[in-house]
Amino acid sequence: MSLAANQHIRTVRLYRHTLKTILSWAVDRELWFSEVERVRAEFYKNSNVTDVNQRERLLVKGQEKLREFQHPDPYIVPYRPGGSLYARNPPIEKGLHQQLDFGREDFGH
């Protein structure tokens, strides 16, 4: 893989992680969208940089800025591991029977 392709992948990952970090700080979608527009403009401003060394400096600067703005309690999707609803209901104990038809079954009797 070429250095330019590697830098492109790192840039896309940095952009995605930045958007996820913003979501942790701005739960209100309108505020989130305005922050996303600001970040997108900054990425587009640097999209025409062709010098490999300058790209690397921009990537390192962006990664440092992302680390600086990491949320101490990041948002986690509720049903993902660590989320607020993950494994919320414990499994049913052995020996207990769950009847889902609530007495409306027809056994042909």
Side-chain angles (χ1 to χ4, degrees):
M1 179 183 305
S2 72
L3 183 58
N6 186 351
Q7 287 177 335
H8 177 74
I9 291 170
R10 289 173 52 209
T11 302
V12 170
R13 287 181 179 166
L14 177 63
Y15 181 72
R16 290 190 56 166
H17 287 306
T18 302
L19 297 185
K20 290 179 182 182
T21 300
I22 293 171
L23 185 60
S24 291
W25 288 103
V27 179
D28 179 41
R29 285 295 180 176
E30 290 195 25
L31 180 59
W32 185 78
F33 282 125
S34 66
E35 285 297 311
V36 166
E37 288 176 13
R38 186 184 60 75
V39 168
R40 184 178 297 142
E42 193 167 338
F43 271 83
Y44 280 142
K45 179 180 73 176
N46 296 316
S47 65
N48 59 358
V49 174
T50 56
D51 181 38
V52 176
N53 293 328
Q54 190 175 359
R55 277 189 198 168
E56 188 63 32
R57 283 192 297 273
L58 287 170
L59 274 169
V60 169
K61 182 180 173 186
Q63 290 166 344
E64 289 172 357
K65 195 171 184 180
L66 180 62
R67 262 189 248 98
E68 178 182 325
F69 285 105
Q70 285 295 321
H71 196 281
D73 186 22
Y75 174 76
I76 299 173
V77 178
Y79 291 100
R80 301 286 297 172
S84 60
L85 296 177
Y86 181 72
R88 186 174 186 177
N89 298 320
I92 297 174
E93 295 179 25
K94 291 182 180 181
L96 291 179
H97 177 69
Q98 186 176 18
Q99 185 171 345
L100 299 176
D101 52 17
F102 303 104
R104 293 185 293 258
E105 69 277 354
D106 186 353
F107 293 112
H109 296 287

